[in-house]
Amino acid sequence: MKLGKVEFCHFLQILALFLCLSGMNQAELSRSRSKPYIQSGRTRTKRSWVWNQFFVLEEYMGTDPLYVGKLHSDVDKGDGSIKYILSGEGASSIFIIDENTGDIHATKRLDREEQAYYTLRAQALDRLTNKPVEPESEFVIKIQDINDNEPKFLDGPYTAGVPEMSPVGTSVVQVTATDADDPTYGNSARVVYSILQGQPYFSVEPKTGVIKTALPNMDREAKDQYLLVIQAKDMVGQNGGLSGTTSVTVTLTDVNDNPPRFPRRSYQYNVPESLPVASVVARIKAADADVGPNAEMEYKIVDGDGLGVFKISVDKDTQEGIITIQKELDFEAKTSYTLRIEAANMHVDPRFLSLGPFSDMTTVKIIVEDVDEPPVFTSLLYSMVVSEAAKVGTIVGTVAAHDPDASNSPVRYSIDRNTDLERYFNIDANSGVITTAKSLDRETNAVHNITVLAMESPNPAQTGRGYVAITILDINDNAPEFAMEYETTVCENAQPGQVIQKISAIDKDDPPNGHRFSFSLTAEAANNHNFTLQDNKDNTATVLTRRNGFRRQEQSVFYLPIFIVDSGSPSLSSTNTLTIRVCDCDADGIAQTCNAEAYILPAGLSTGALIAILACVLTLLVLVLLIVTMRRRKKEPLIFDEERDIRENIVRYDDEGGGEEDTEAFDMAALRNLNIIRDTKTRRDVTPEIQFLSRPTFKSIPDNVIFREFIWERLKEADVDPCAPPYDSLQTYAFEGNGSVAESLSSLDSISSNSDQNYDYLSDWGPRFKRLADMYGTGPDCLYS
């Protein structure tokens, strides 16, 4: 059948459409990037690779490997002579190829968000020769996206603020969600926003995520914080899409939309009249629901009878109005005050002026309470004057004080003696009259500052203080005298009329018109031939010489009595003596020496020679004293030798025991019962005498204590003995004990007592005491009577 041109064109269109449709279900044709393959001996044109599929679906969950596509070369005749090899990203690990058929499979689950595509290389080899029959070709396997990622708010949760009372549509904050899916493929990454919580106060734009206010006049004072939940959903919000949420905390910030208001229309406070100035009377506060600068207020007193007595200021921390006292309160003068106080915001927002004035008024009434106050003096300071010649009891002045309370209690006066230690003044307790109590002296104390105490008679604890300054008026009671101690000299070669001294006077008194002194010589000195006095009429006088030359040998000192009279009424005078020494002067009239004894010394000896002579005399005197001292030391015997002669005398007492038969001789128990009576011991400085002491009885105590006490008492006797020599000596004591029932047998004791004693009883004690009986008995054979 022959086809016309029109039919042929239609046939070509149908063929092209078929090829296009079949290309969507098969792999895309890839052109080889390698050079034409050249076999040895001949040249052949390049052939093309064909595979059936480009895309692999991600997140494949099947058990069998996922078929990716097929590689095929037109050289392959299907007889198995061609072998296919795959290399590149993921070859053998993720992608495997059947070397016979060229089929490619994926062995692992793929994630597009981890890697979107893989680049691989394919090669066809001759199985027998293992040589390529096609050049190596590169191709790409793309991972096809599925909606497996939900939108996420990476910056959430959000916090934002918006002024209260904002109009509808005011932007608050913008939230943004991101989706990891492929935004270029399908709707997996197309997100829309919606509000799940926070309506009807706020809304969100679906596409932009901008949150806006949805209600007008949201009041912070009613609710200041809102919690919103915003959702982002992909697939353009369609069913089956994934979603994510975030929270947005929106805080309403404050604006000055609330005027201050006092909780009460009036206040009342009681204040004692004794409250000091600057003390706080009361604190008031106007309520303002706003915060921060929008709640800052200022207070002022706009009216009332206490404008000058009280003032009000603001406490910056608490926004309270602090009312303080400016002047002292007096219950007797005024018992209450009324204040009209205004509180107003400092920062007013013009947008809300329609809500009314941003200020408020209240009334504060202050009641002054009566307090028992101390007496008050009529004057803060009393100034009084009295003459220093005033007699004791003279009235100086009067002070007055009264009780300011309504009771007007009587007042008693006294002087604080800490301000009048010398007790110069007294005060009448009832009248307040101050009088002198001692003689006054202006020169000692010109002004007396005393404190007068005024006490209420019923309550002496209420004491007021008044201050009195008493000035002492001067009288002329001090005579003039020299202004200083003058050291006046006159030269031996002085000429007549020569000025030798200018004198002045002082007076402890203080006359109103100043001092005026007159000077003159006394009557007995007026006609002397040595000196004269000239009054300068300016409270000074000049002493001049009257004759030519003075001699120290004749008279070295002159005494010139000067008579001084002051200008007081009545005037006082005194005589002051000026001492004038005659001196040897140099050519300029300057005194060199005024010692009159210098002329008595020999003219040929100088001062140096005199000093040398005196030094020699002193040296001779010292030598003589040394020689005399050495001779006296040689003549005097040494005290040590005399003392040694005295102390080397040894006195020994022999106490014979009872022999072998006396088994009780060394019984230490006898030493524990000692009867020793000690008398004051007297000794001579030259020869010690034997003295006999009666011994007191010792109690039964340890042996070492007995001996220690015995020696200690002997030492004390030696220390207090006034007759003992004034040097150390060695003393020996014998301690015998008292073990014998016969007590003391010493005949020395009888001698010291100067009494006759009968010792005949010794013969009755047995043969042991026969010897003593013969010695001390009264028989014919006794040795001593």
Side-chain angles (χ1 to χ4, degrees):
M1 182 178 61
K2 296 183 179 179
L3 297 175
K5 293 183 178 179
V6 176
E7 289 80 7
F8 183 76
C9 291
H10 286 291
F11 174 77
L12 291 178
Q13 290 177 357
I14 292 171
L15 181 60
L17 180 61
F18 175 78
L19 291 175
C20 289
L21 291 175
S22 62
M24 295 179 63
N25 297 322
Q26 295 180 355
E28 189 178 0
L29 180 65
S30 175
R31 296 182 178 179
S32 176
R33 300 176 185 174
S34 60
K35 296 180 180 180
Y37 178 72
I38 303 175
Q39 292 185 348
S40 58
R42 60 175 179 172
T43 302
R44 79 178 273 188
T45 59
K46 181 184 74 170
R47 295 185 179 272
S48 298
W49 287 98
V50 178
W51 52 83
N52 297 326
Q53 192 172 347
F54 285 108
F55 299 96
V56 178
L57 192 66
E58 68 170 335
E59 303 295 343
Y60 172 71
M61 304 297 291
T63 57
D64 298 330
L66 178 63
Y67 180 76
V68 176
K70 184 179 180 65
L71 295 179
H72 181 72
S73 175
D74 56 2
V75 179
D76 187 2
K77 302 300 183 179
D79 54 2
S81 61
I82 302 299
K83 180 174 64 173
Y84 296 96
I85 297 175
L86 187 67
S87 63
E89 290 181 298
S92 299
S93 60
I94 299 176
F95 303 100
I96 59 175
I97 189 170
D98 189 334
E99 61 179 15
N100 296 319
T101 63
D103 293 331
I104 301 174
H105 292 80
T107 60
K108 293 183 180 181
R109 185 178 64 180
L110 302 176
D111 188 358
R112 189 200 67 84
E113 285 69 42
E114 291 182 3
Q115 187 166 347
Y117 62 90
Y118 294 86
T119 302
L120 296 100
R121 293 182 298 278
Q123 192 173 23
L125 302 177
D126 188 294
R127 188 177 296 275
L128 296 178
T129 63
N130 205 27
K131 293 182 179 180
V133 296
E134 291 284 356
E136 187 180 61
S137 180
E138 185 179 87
F139 62 95
V140 175
I141 298 177
K142 294 184 179 180
I143 310 302
Q144 187 175 355
D145 184 46
I146 65 172
N147 189 19
D148 59 343
N149 291 279
E150 74 277 4
K152 294 182 179 180
F153 293 91
L154 301 180
D155 297 330
Y158 296 85
T159 58
V162 63
E164 63 174 333
M165 311 301 288
S166 296
V168 175
T170 302
S171 295
V172 179
V173 68
Q174 183 178 16
V175 297
T176 302
T178 59
D179 196 320
D181 293 326
D182 189 359
T184 63
Y185 180 77
N187 296 323
S188 299
R190 297 183 61 185
V191 177
V192 293
Y193 300 92
S194 61
I195 183 167
L196 301 182
Q197 178 181 321
Q199 295 174 329
Y201 305 101
F202 298 93
S203 63
V204 61
E205 291 187 356
K207 294 182 179 181
T208 63
V210 175
I211 300 174
K212 298 181 179 181
T213 58
L215 283 180
N217 301 326
M218 285 191 293
D219 191 0
R220 184 198 66 85
E221 288 72 34
K223 185 177 181 181
D224 63 345
Q225 197 171 80
Y226 298 85
L227 179 63
L228 283 63
V229 177
I230 304 298
Q231 181 189 65
K233 190 173 184 180
D234 58 13
M235 300 299 292
V236 200
Q238 298 176 3
N239 293 333
L242 302 179
S243 64
T245 60
T246 188
S247 64
V248 180
T249 302
V250 180
T251 302
L252 298 183
T253 58
D254 186 57
V255 297
N256 192 7
D257 59 338
N258 293 278
R261 291 291 180 263
F262 283 105
R264 296 164 55 184
R265 293 294 90 193
S266 64
Y267 297 85
Q268 180 173 315
Y269 299 94
N270 294 342
V271 179
E273 63 174 334
S274 59
L275 201 64
V277 174
S279 298
V280 176
V281 175
R283 287 175 174 263
I284 61 174
K285 183 177 181 180
D288 193 329
D290 297 322
V291 294
N294 297 320
E296 292 181 359
M297 286 176 283
E298 58 181 355
Y299 297 86
K300 60 182 177 180
I301 302 174
V302 296
D303 196 7
D305 55 359
L307 285 174
V309 182
F310 302 93
K311 71 173 183 179
I312 188 168
S313 59
V314 64
D315 187 331
K316 298 296 184 182
D317 296 328
T318 63
Q319 295 301 313
E320 291 178 312
I322 305 174
I323 302 174
T324 55
I325 301 175
Q326 281 187 296
K327 295 182 180 179
E328 292 184 353
L329 303 178
D330 188 0
F331 172 82
E332 288 72 26
K334 191 173 181 60
T335 59
S336 66
Y337 296 88
T338 301
L339 305 175
R340 188 75 173 159
I341 296 177
E342 179 188 58
N345 278 142
M346 297 181 63
H347 309 286
V348 179
D349 193 334
R351 295 177 299 171
F352 305 104
L353 290 177
S354 60
L355 300 178
F358 280 76
S359 62
D360 197 16
M361 303 282 289
T362 190
T363 301
V364 177
K365 187 173 184 179
I366 299 175
I367 305 299
V368 181
E369 296 178 343
D370 189 21
V371 176
D372 189 9
E373 299 176 275
V376 178
F377 283 89
T378 57
S379 176
L380 296 177
L381 177 64
Y382 294 89
S383 297
M384 302 178 183
V385 294
V386 63
S387 173
E388 64 177 328
K391 297 180 179 180
V392 174
T394 300
I395 296 176
V396 179
T398 304
V399 297
H402 68 280
D403 183 8
D405 299 320
S407 59
N408 194 18
S409 301
V411 176
R412 294 183 62 83
Y413 302 93
S414 65
I415 294 177
D416 184 356
R417 291 304 176 183
N418 291 324
T419 61
D420 186 25
L421 297 176
E422 301 294 332
R423 296 181 176 269
Y424 283 106
F425 303 96
N426 288 329
I427 188 170
D428 188 275
N430 297 317
S431 63
V433 175
I434 300 175
T435 58
T436 59
K438 292 172 65 175
S439 297
L440 304 176
D441 185 9
R442 187 202 65 85
E443 287 71 36
T444 302
N445 193 352
V447 178
H448 293 265
N449 293 301
I450 63 174
T451 300
V452 177
L453 307 178
M455 296 169 287
E456 290 183 11
S457 296
N459 186 11
Q462 294 294 337
T463 302
R465 293 178 177 271
Y467 303 97
V468 181
I470 302 175
T471 303
I472 309 302
L473 298 178
D474 185 40
I475 63 171
N476 191 24
D477 58 345
N478 290 277
E481 57 186 14
F482 279 157
M484 59 181 293
E485 288 289 337
Y486 293 103
E487 295 182 359
T488 306
T489 59
V490 60
C491 294
E492 288 183 310
N493 57 356
Q495 299 297 322
Q498 183 175 341
V499 176
I500 61 171
Q501 184 66 59
K502 186 175 183 179
I503 61 174
S504 61
I506 58 173
D507 194 330
K508 294 180 180 179
D509 296 320
D510 189 15
N513 298 324
H515 291 287
R516 295 192 302 277
F517 301 111
S518 60
F519 302 86
S520 63
L521 294 178
T522 59
E524 61 272 16
N527 297 322
N528 78 90
H529 302 287
N530 299 312
F531 305 98
T532 184
L533 182 70
Q534 178 181 336
D535 191 346
N536 298 326
K537 304 302 181 179
D538 59 355
N539 291 336
T540 64
T542 304
V543 179
L544 302 93
T545 58
R546 299 187 71 175
R547 67 186 179 89
N548 184 12
F550 296 87
R551 290 181 60 81
R552 281 179 290 171
Q553 297 90 334
E554 297 177 358
Q555 186 174 353
S556 61
V557 178
F558 293 90
Y559 300 97
L560 185 65
I562 299 176
F563 187 69
I564 307 176
V565 181
D566 62 16
S567 58
S569 179
S571 61
L572 296 180
S573 62
S574 66
T575 300
N576 299 264
T577 302
L578 182 67
T579 301
I580 305 173
R581 297 184 180 276
V582 180
C583 299
D584 180 23
C585 301
D586 57 12
D588 297 328
I590 298 175
Q592 298 298 314
T593 178
C594 301
N595 191 359
E597 288 76 6
Y599 282 93
I600 301 175
L601 297 176
L605 293 179
S606 63
T607 302
L610 292 175
I611 294 175
I613 293 172
L614 290 175
C616 292
V617 172
L618 289 175
T619 304
L620 291 174
L621 288 176
V622 171
L623 291 175
V624 171
L625 289 175
L626 290 175
I627 293 172
V628 172
T629 302
M630 296 298 294
R631 288 183 177 180
R632 286 185 178 180
R633 289 188 177 182
K634 290 180 180 180
K635 291 180 180 180
E636 293 179 355
L638 295 176
I639 297 177
F640 177 76
D641 295 339
E642 292 181 1
E643 187 65 22
R644 181 164 54 186
D645 294 337
I646 295 172
R647 295 306 175 186
E648 284 183 353
N649 294 330
I650 300 176
V651 179
R652 177 178 296 174
Y653 301 93
D654 294 329
D655 186 6
E656 297 180 0
E660 295 178 357
E661 296 178 359
D662 187 5
T663 59
E664 300 290 330
F666 299 98
D667 187 4
M668 294 303 296
L671 295 177
R672 299 189 183 95
N673 297 314
L674 304 179
N675 297 324
I676 300 175
I677 302 175
R678 297 186 178 88
D679 297 330
T680 305
K681 186 176 181 181
T682 59
R683 296 188 305 184
R684 297 178 181 177
D685 292 344
V686 179
T687 303
E689 295 181 353
I690 301 175
Q691 299 184 9
F692 306 94
L693 304 176
S694 60
R695 310 181 189 278
T697 302
F698 283 81
K699 296 182 180 179
S700 177
I701 54 179
D703 300 336
N704 58 344
V705 178
I706 294 175
F707 299 133
R708 184 169 63 249
E709 291 185 357
F710 175 81
I711 296 173
W712 178 250
E713 290 184 6
R714 290 298 186 276
L715 179 60
K716 289 193 293 182
E717 290 176 1
D719 290 340
V720 300
D721 187 3
C723 299
Y727 42 78
D728 294 338
S729 63
L730 176 65
Q731 301 189 35
T732 304
Y733 301 100
F735 186 80
E736 297 176 353
N738 59 347
S740 176
V741 296
E743 297 182 354
S744 176
L745 300 179
S746 176
S747 63
L748 299 177
D749 194 19
S750 63
I751 296 174
S752 63
S753 62
N754 297 324
S755 62
D756 294 334
Q757 187 173 358
N758 187 4
Y759 294 98
D760 292 341
Y761 61 89
L762 296 175
S763 60
D764 298 333
W765 289 358
R768 297 178 181 178
F769 299 94
K770 185 178 182 303
R771 179 65 176 169
L772 290 175
D774 295 339
M775 293 176 62
Y776 294 98
T778 57
D781 296 331
C782 65
L783 297 177
Y784 300 97
S785 57

